[in-house]
Amino acid sequence: MRFLLTDEQREFGRSLDALLTAADTPAVLRAWAARDHGPGRALWGRLADAGVFALAVPEAYGGVGPLPVEAAVACVELGRHAVPGPVAETLAAGALLAGAGGPVAEEWLPGIASGTAVVSLALEGYGPYAPDADAADAVFTVTGDELRLAPGLGELSASADPARRLFRPEPGGAPVAKGMAIRAAARAAGDTAAFATAALALGCGEELLRATVAYVKQRTQFGVPVGSFQAVKHRLADTLLGLEFARPLLYGAAVELASEVSRPGAGAGSAEGSPGAGAAVAAAKVTAGEAGYAAARTALQLHGAIGYTEELDLAWWLRRARPLRDAWGTPSACRARVLAG
Protein backbone atom coordinates (compact mmCIF):
# COMPACT_ATOMS: atom_id res chain seq x y z
CA MET A 1 0.00 0.00 0.00
CA ARG A 2 1.27 3.47 -0.86
CA PHE A 3 0.44 6.09 1.72
CA LEU A 4 0.76 9.85 1.29
CA LEU A 5 -0.47 12.66 3.50
CA THR A 6 -3.13 14.86 1.96
CA ASP A 7 -2.50 18.52 1.24
CA GLU A 8 -4.68 19.43 4.22
CA GLN A 9 -2.69 17.18 6.55
CA ARG A 10 0.60 18.62 5.34
CA GLU A 11 -0.68 22.16 5.80
CA PHE A 12 -1.80 21.25 9.32
CA GLY A 13 1.76 20.16 10.12
CA ARG A 14 3.23 23.33 8.61
CA SER A 15 0.85 25.52 10.61
CA LEU A 16 1.85 23.80 13.86
CA ASP A 17 5.53 24.18 12.97
CA ALA A 18 5.03 27.92 12.44
CA LEU A 19 3.09 28.26 15.69
CA LEU A 20 5.72 26.42 17.72
CA THR A 21 8.66 28.16 16.05
CA ALA A 22 7.23 31.47 17.21
CA ALA A 23 6.58 30.14 20.73
CA ASP A 24 10.26 29.82 21.81
CA THR A 25 9.78 26.34 23.26
CA PRO A 26 13.26 26.20 24.90
CA ALA A 27 12.16 29.05 27.17
CA VAL A 28 8.87 27.25 27.84
CA LEU A 29 10.82 24.07 28.66
CA ARG A 30 13.08 25.86 31.14
CA ALA A 31 10.06 27.37 32.88
CA TRP A 32 8.28 24.01 32.96
CA ALA A 33 11.32 22.28 34.46
CA ALA A 34 11.39 24.99 37.16
CA ARG A 35 7.71 24.14 37.92
CA ASP A 36 6.42 27.34 36.33
CA HIS A 37 3.65 25.87 34.22
CA GLY A 38 2.17 29.18 33.09
CA PRO A 39 3.99 29.50 29.75
CA GLY A 40 3.40 25.81 29.01
CA ARG A 41 -0.31 26.04 29.75
CA ALA A 42 -0.56 29.13 27.53
CA LEU A 43 1.12 27.21 24.70
CA TRP A 44 -1.20 24.27 25.40
CA GLY A 45 -4.16 26.59 24.86
CA ARG A 46 -2.82 27.75 21.50
CA LEU A 47 -2.31 24.15 20.41
CA ALA A 48 -5.87 23.37 21.47
CA ASP A 49 -7.11 26.31 19.42
CA ALA A 50 -5.31 24.74 16.45
CA GLY A 51 -7.32 21.56 17.06
CA VAL A 52 -4.58 19.27 18.39
CA PHE A 53 -6.36 17.79 21.40
CA ALA A 54 -9.75 17.64 19.71
CA LEU A 55 -8.22 14.98 17.42
CA ALA A 56 -8.56 12.38 20.19
CA VAL A 57 -12.06 13.36 21.32
CA PRO A 58 -15.22 12.12 19.57
CA GLU A 59 -17.57 14.66 18.00
CA ALA A 60 -20.25 13.84 20.56
CA TYR A 61 -18.05 15.43 23.23
CA GLY A 62 -16.89 18.49 21.31
CA GLY A 63 -13.96 16.97 19.43
CA VAL A 64 -13.33 16.01 15.82
CA GLY A 65 -11.85 12.55 16.32
CA PRO A 66 -10.54 10.09 16.72
CA LEU A 67 -8.26 10.96 13.79
CA PRO A 68 -5.01 8.98 14.23
CA VAL A 69 -3.27 10.19 11.05
CA GLU A 70 -3.77 13.86 11.95
CA ALA A 71 -2.73 13.06 15.53
CA ALA A 72 0.53 11.57 14.20
CA VAL A 73 1.18 14.71 12.14
CA ALA A 74 0.59 16.87 15.22
CA CYS A 75 2.69 14.80 17.61
CA VAL A 76 5.66 14.68 15.23
CA GLU A 77 5.65 18.49 15.22
CA LEU A 78 5.23 18.66 19.00
CA GLY A 79 8.16 16.25 19.32
CA ARG A 80 10.30 18.32 16.96
CA HIS A 81 9.71 21.36 19.15
CA ALA A 82 9.89 19.44 22.47
CA VAL A 83 6.55 20.73 23.75
CA PRO A 84 6.37 19.99 27.50
CA GLY A 85 3.47 18.43 29.34
CA PRO A 86 1.50 15.17 29.28
CA VAL A 87 0.70 15.31 25.56
CA ALA A 88 0.49 11.55 24.96
CA GLU A 89 -1.36 11.02 28.23
CA THR A 90 -3.99 13.66 27.48
CA LEU A 91 -4.58 12.21 24.02
CA ALA A 92 -4.81 8.74 25.54
CA ALA A 93 -7.31 10.02 28.10
CA GLY A 94 -9.54 10.94 25.17
CA ALA A 95 -9.71 7.26 24.19
CA LEU A 96 -10.03 6.10 27.80
CA LEU A 97 -12.88 8.38 28.77
CA ALA A 98 -14.72 8.01 25.47
CA GLY A 99 -14.66 4.26 25.99
CA ALA A 100 -15.84 4.65 29.57
CA GLY A 101 -18.70 6.94 28.56
CA GLY A 102 -21.22 8.28 31.05
CA PRO A 103 -20.81 11.28 33.39
CA VAL A 104 -16.99 11.12 33.55
CA ALA A 105 -16.76 11.45 29.76
CA GLU A 106 -19.28 14.29 29.71
CA GLU A 107 -17.36 16.11 32.44
CA TRP A 108 -13.82 15.84 31.10
CA LEU A 109 -13.79 15.27 27.34
CA PRO A 110 -15.05 18.73 26.29
CA GLY A 111 -12.29 20.29 28.40
CA ILE A 112 -9.65 18.05 26.83
CA ALA A 113 -10.83 19.03 23.36
CA SER A 114 -10.81 22.74 24.18
CA GLY A 115 -7.46 22.66 25.99
CA THR A 116 -8.87 23.77 29.35
CA ALA A 117 -8.21 20.33 30.86
CA VAL A 118 -4.72 18.80 31.01
CA VAL A 119 -4.86 15.14 32.03
CA SER A 120 -2.33 12.51 33.02
CA LEU A 121 -2.93 8.82 33.65
CA ALA A 122 -1.39 5.58 34.81
CA LEU A 123 -2.46 2.23 33.35
CA GLU A 124 -1.74 -1.31 34.43
CA GLY A 125 0.98 -2.89 32.34
CA TYR A 126 2.74 0.39 31.54
CA GLY A 127 4.39 1.20 34.85
CA PRO A 128 3.04 2.95 37.94
CA TYR A 129 3.88 6.53 37.01
CA ALA A 130 1.78 9.43 35.77
CA PRO A 131 3.98 11.96 33.93
CA ASP A 132 3.56 15.65 34.77
CA ALA A 133 0.82 14.91 37.27
CA ASP A 134 1.67 18.13 39.12
CA ALA A 135 0.64 20.14 36.04
CA ALA A 136 -2.51 18.11 35.33
CA ASP A 137 -6.06 18.97 36.27
CA ALA A 138 -6.82 15.29 36.78
CA VAL A 139 -4.92 12.02 37.04
CA PHE A 140 -6.85 8.89 36.09
CA THR A 141 -5.85 5.36 37.01
CA VAL A 142 -7.24 2.03 35.86
CA THR A 143 -7.10 -1.11 37.96
CA GLY A 144 -8.89 -4.12 36.54
CA ASP A 145 -12.31 -2.92 35.41
CA GLU A 146 -12.36 0.23 37.57
CA LEU A 147 -11.52 3.77 36.45
CA ARG A 148 -10.57 6.05 39.31
CA LEU A 149 -9.62 9.69 39.77
CA ALA A 150 -6.39 9.68 41.81
CA PRO A 151 -6.81 11.47 45.16
CA GLY A 152 -3.27 12.89 45.16
CA LEU A 153 0.03 13.15 43.31
CA GLY A 154 1.89 10.60 45.39
CA GLU A 155 5.62 9.97 45.34
CA LEU A 156 7.91 11.90 42.97
CA SER A 157 10.47 9.75 41.14
CA ALA A 158 13.65 10.72 39.34
CA SER A 159 13.45 11.41 35.62
CA ALA A 160 16.18 11.72 33.01
CA ASP A 161 14.17 14.56 31.46
CA PRO A 162 13.92 17.48 33.92
CA ALA A 163 10.88 18.79 32.03
CA ARG A 164 9.02 15.48 32.55
CA ARG A 165 8.29 14.81 36.22
CA LEU A 166 7.10 11.34 37.21
CA PHE A 167 4.63 10.75 40.04
CA ARG A 168 3.26 7.52 41.48
CA PRO A 169 -0.43 8.45 42.02
CA GLU A 170 -1.84 7.89 45.49
CA PRO A 171 -3.98 4.75 45.64
CA GLY A 172 -7.68 4.86 46.35
CA GLY A 173 -10.25 7.30 45.21
CA ALA A 174 -13.82 6.38 44.43
CA PRO A 175 -14.39 4.66 41.07
CA VAL A 176 -15.83 7.05 38.48
CA ALA A 177 -16.70 4.20 36.10
CA LYS A 178 -16.48 0.41 36.17
CA GLY A 179 -17.25 -2.63 34.08
CA MET A 180 -15.81 -4.63 31.19
CA ALA A 181 -15.92 -1.53 28.98
CA ILE A 182 -13.16 -0.05 31.14
CA ARG A 183 -10.78 -2.89 30.25
CA ALA A 184 -11.38 -2.31 26.55
CA ALA A 185 -11.04 1.46 26.98
CA ALA A 186 -7.76 1.01 28.86
CA ARG A 187 -6.35 -1.12 26.01
CA ALA A 188 -7.32 1.55 23.50
CA ALA A 189 -5.81 4.24 25.73
CA GLY A 190 -2.55 2.31 26.05
CA ASP A 191 -2.31 1.98 22.28
CA THR A 192 -3.05 5.70 21.86
CA ALA A 193 -0.39 6.69 24.40
CA ALA A 194 2.21 4.41 22.77
CA PHE A 195 1.29 5.68 19.31
CA ALA A 196 1.51 9.36 20.33
CA THR A 197 4.82 8.72 22.11
CA ALA A 198 6.21 7.08 18.95
CA ALA A 199 5.33 10.21 16.98
CA LEU A 200 6.90 12.45 19.64
CA ALA A 201 10.07 10.34 19.53
CA LEU A 202 10.23 10.57 15.75
CA GLY A 203 9.89 14.35 15.89
CA CYS A 204 12.53 14.57 18.61
CA GLY A 205 14.93 12.54 16.48
CA GLU A 206 14.26 14.71 13.44
CA GLU A 207 15.18 17.87 15.35
CA LEU A 208 18.33 16.28 16.79
CA LEU A 209 19.44 15.30 13.29
CA ARG A 210 18.62 18.74 11.87
CA ALA A 211 20.58 20.51 14.62
CA THR A 212 23.54 18.15 14.23
CA VAL A 213 23.74 18.58 10.45
CA ALA A 214 23.71 22.35 10.90
CA TYR A 215 26.45 22.13 13.52
CA VAL A 216 28.87 19.92 11.55
CA LYS A 217 28.54 22.24 8.58
CA GLN A 218 29.94 25.18 10.57
CA ARG A 219 32.37 23.43 12.95
CA THR A 220 35.82 23.06 11.39
CA GLN A 221 38.89 20.90 11.92
CA PHE A 222 42.08 21.10 9.86
CA GLY A 223 40.53 24.03 8.03
CA VAL A 224 37.46 22.17 6.71
CA PRO A 225 33.95 21.52 8.08
CA VAL A 226 33.80 18.28 10.08
CA GLY A 227 30.67 17.44 8.10
CA SER A 228 32.89 16.76 5.11
CA PHE A 229 34.57 13.80 6.87
CA GLN A 230 33.49 10.40 5.59
CA ALA A 231 32.90 8.92 9.06
CA VAL A 232 30.64 11.84 10.01
CA LYS A 233 28.66 11.51 6.78
CA HIS A 234 28.14 7.80 7.40
CA ARG A 235 26.96 8.37 10.97
CA LEU A 236 24.47 11.01 9.84
CA ALA A 237 23.26 8.82 6.97
CA ASP A 238 22.63 5.91 9.36
CA THR A 239 20.68 8.23 11.65
CA LEU A 240 18.57 9.51 8.76
CA LEU A 241 17.84 5.97 7.58
CA GLY A 242 16.65 4.98 11.04
CA LEU A 243 14.22 7.89 11.19
CA GLU A 244 12.98 7.35 7.65
CA PHE A 245 12.33 3.66 8.29
CA ALA A 246 10.30 4.59 11.37
CA ARG A 247 8.06 7.05 9.52
CA PRO A 248 6.08 4.55 7.39
CA LEU A 249 5.59 2.32 10.43
CA LEU A 250 4.13 5.27 12.34
CA TYR A 251 1.68 6.15 9.59
CA GLY A 252 0.93 2.48 8.99
CA ALA A 253 -0.09 2.23 12.64
CA ALA A 254 -2.22 5.35 12.19
CA VAL A 255 -4.04 3.72 9.29
CA GLU A 256 -4.56 0.55 11.35
CA LEU A 257 -5.99 2.56 14.24
CA ALA A 258 -8.24 4.56 11.92
CA SER A 259 -9.52 1.33 10.35
CA GLU A 260 -10.21 -0.12 13.79
CA VAL A 261 -12.23 2.91 14.83
CA SER A 262 -14.22 2.97 11.60
CA ARG A 263 -15.04 -0.76 11.45
CA PRO A 264 -18.79 -1.57 11.51
CA GLY A 265 -20.22 -1.38 15.01
CA ALA A 266 -17.12 0.19 16.57
CA GLY A 267 -18.58 3.59 17.33
CA ALA A 268 -16.71 6.63 18.59
CA GLY A 269 -14.22 5.76 21.28
CA SER A 270 -15.19 2.09 21.45
CA ALA A 271 -12.20 0.54 19.65
CA GLU A 272 -10.81 -2.24 21.81
CA GLY A 273 -7.32 -2.40 20.39
CA SER A 274 -7.25 -5.37 18.01
CA PRO A 275 -4.11 -7.56 17.92
CA GLY A 276 -3.31 -6.20 14.44
CA ALA A 277 -3.58 -2.56 15.46
CA GLY A 278 -1.72 -3.21 18.71
CA ALA A 279 1.14 -4.93 16.92
CA ALA A 280 1.34 -2.09 14.39
CA VAL A 281 1.52 0.44 17.20
CA ALA A 282 4.21 -1.61 18.98
CA ALA A 283 6.28 -1.84 15.79
CA ALA A 284 6.05 1.92 15.30
CA LYS A 285 6.88 2.58 18.94
CA VAL A 286 10.01 0.44 19.08
CA THR A 287 11.31 1.65 15.71
CA ALA A 288 10.67 5.35 16.30
CA GLY A 289 11.92 5.16 19.88
CA GLU A 290 15.17 3.47 18.90
CA ALA A 291 15.66 5.85 15.96
CA GLY A 292 15.13 8.89 18.16
CA TYR A 293 17.54 7.57 20.77
CA ALA A 294 20.14 6.79 18.08
CA ALA A 295 19.75 10.37 16.83
CA ALA A 296 20.50 11.61 20.35
CA ARG A 297 23.66 9.51 20.55
CA THR A 298 24.78 10.80 17.16
CA ALA A 299 24.05 14.38 18.16
CA LEU A 300 25.99 14.07 21.38
CA GLN A 301 29.01 12.49 19.72
CA LEU A 302 29.23 14.96 16.85
CA HIS A 303 28.66 18.04 19.00
CA GLY A 304 31.50 16.97 21.26
CA ALA A 305 31.88 18.51 24.70
CA ILE A 306 29.51 21.37 23.94
CA GLY A 307 26.70 18.79 23.76
CA TYR A 308 26.90 18.32 27.52
CA THR A 309 26.31 21.95 28.44
CA GLU A 310 23.10 23.07 30.16
CA GLU A 311 23.09 26.32 28.22
CA LEU A 312 22.76 24.61 24.85
CA ASP A 313 19.12 24.21 23.81
CA LEU A 314 20.04 20.85 22.28
CA ALA A 315 20.32 19.42 25.79
CA TRP A 316 16.53 19.41 26.18
CA TRP A 317 16.12 17.16 23.16
CA LEU A 318 19.07 14.96 24.16
CA ARG A 319 17.55 14.26 27.58
CA ARG A 320 14.10 13.64 26.13
CA ALA A 321 15.01 10.94 23.60
CA ARG A 322 15.61 8.01 25.97
CA PRO A 323 12.54 8.61 28.17
CA LEU A 324 10.41 8.73 25.03
CA ARG A 325 11.98 5.47 23.86
CA ASP A 326 10.99 3.73 27.10
CA ALA A 327 7.66 5.39 27.94
CA TRP A 328 4.41 3.53 27.15
CA GLY A 329 6.21 0.39 26.05
CA THR A 330 9.90 -0.41 26.38
CA PRO A 331 11.69 -1.76 23.31
CA SER A 332 11.63 -5.32 24.66
CA ALA A 333 7.92 -5.12 25.53
CA CYS A 334 7.09 -3.73 22.09
CA ARG A 335 9.09 -6.44 20.31
CA ALA A 336 7.29 -9.10 22.34
CA ARG A 337 3.94 -7.60 21.34
CA VAL A 338 4.91 -7.53 17.68
CA LEU A 339 5.80 -11.22 17.83
CA ALA A 340 2.59 -12.05 19.66
CA GLY A 341 0.52 -10.04 17.16
Side-chain angles (χ1 to χ4, degrees):
M1 179 181 69
R2 187 181 183 202
F3 174 82
L4 292 173
L5 294 174
T6 66
D7 291 341
E8 291 80 4
Q9 290 163 343
R10 292 179 185 276
E11 182 56 35
F12 179 49
R14 286 191 290 267
S15 68
L16 291 177
D17 179 42
L19 184 158
L20 293 168
T21 299
D24 188 16
T25 52
V28 175
L29 278 162
R30 288 185 168 86
W32 192 275
R35 303 188 68 179
D36 176 8
H37 300 134
R41 289 294 295 253
L43 178 58
W44 195 279
R46 293 197 292 275
L47 290 169
D49 290 342
V52 170
F53 301 107
L55 297 171
V57 177
E59 293 183 19
Y61 299 100
V64 297
L67 295 174
V69 175
E70 286 77 5
V73 172
C75 286
V76 169
E77 292 302 325
L78 269 60
R80 284 184 58 233
H81 291 273
V83 171
V87 172
E89 293 73 25
T90 296
L91 293 172
L96 176 65
L97 300 179
V104 67
E106 295 171 0
E107 178 181 359
W108 287 98
L109 285 177
I112 290 175
S114 66
T116 58
V118 176
V119 177
S120 189
L121 74 163
L123 300 177
E124 283 185 314
Y126 290 98
Y129 301 113
D132 295 306
D134 57 335
D137 300 299
V139 178
F140 290 98
T141 64
V142 175
T143 304
D145 61 358
E146 292 186 337
L147 171 64
R148 298 174 184 267
L149 189 59
L153 296 180
E155 176 188 354
L156 173 65
S157 297
S159 173
D161 181 357
R164 182 178 173 88
R165 295 162 63 81
L166 302 176
F167 291 86
R168 186 189 295 265
E170 291 182 2
V176 294
K178 61 173 60 178
M180 290 303 297
I182 300 303
R183 294 180 182 270
R187 288 195 295 271
D191 283 347
T192 300
F195 171 71
T197 303
L200 293 169
L202 178 61
C204 179
E206 287 181 348
E207 175 57 21
L208 285 163
L209 178 60
R210 184 208 64 78
T212 305
V213 169
Y215 181 71
V216 299
K217 285 181 178 179
Q218 57 90 23
R219 179 188 171 194
T220 61
Q221 274 187 355
F222 311 113
V224 297
V226 297
S228 64
F229 299 162
Q230 190 93 357
V232 172
K233 290 180 179 180
H234 285 178
R235 186 68 185 265
L236 292 171
D238 289 343
T239 302
L240 176 62
L241 282 174
L243 295 168
E244 289 304 314
F245 271 104
R247 192 183 315 280
L249 289 175
L250 176 68
Y251 286 111
V255 171
E256 287 280 354
L257 290 172
S259 299
E260 179 68 15
V261 170
S262 63
R263 65 180 169 80
S270 65
E272 298 185 5
S274 71
V281 168
K285 175 65 173 59
V286 66
T287 308
E290 295 281 33
Y293 182 51
R297 292 172 63 89
T298 296
L300 186 58
Q301 180 183 24
L302 297 186
H303 275 79
I306 194 174
Y308 289 94
T309 60
E310 275 293 325
E311 294 78 11
L312 191 69
D313 288 344
L314 183 80
W316 295 99
W317 281 259
L318 287 172
R319 291 182 291 193
R320 177 155 292 205
R322 183 162 184 171
L324 287 174
R325 185 195 71 170
D326 295 338
W328 295 105
T330 62
S332 59
C334 289
R335 290 188 178 97
R337 191 173 186 191
V338 171
L339 292 173

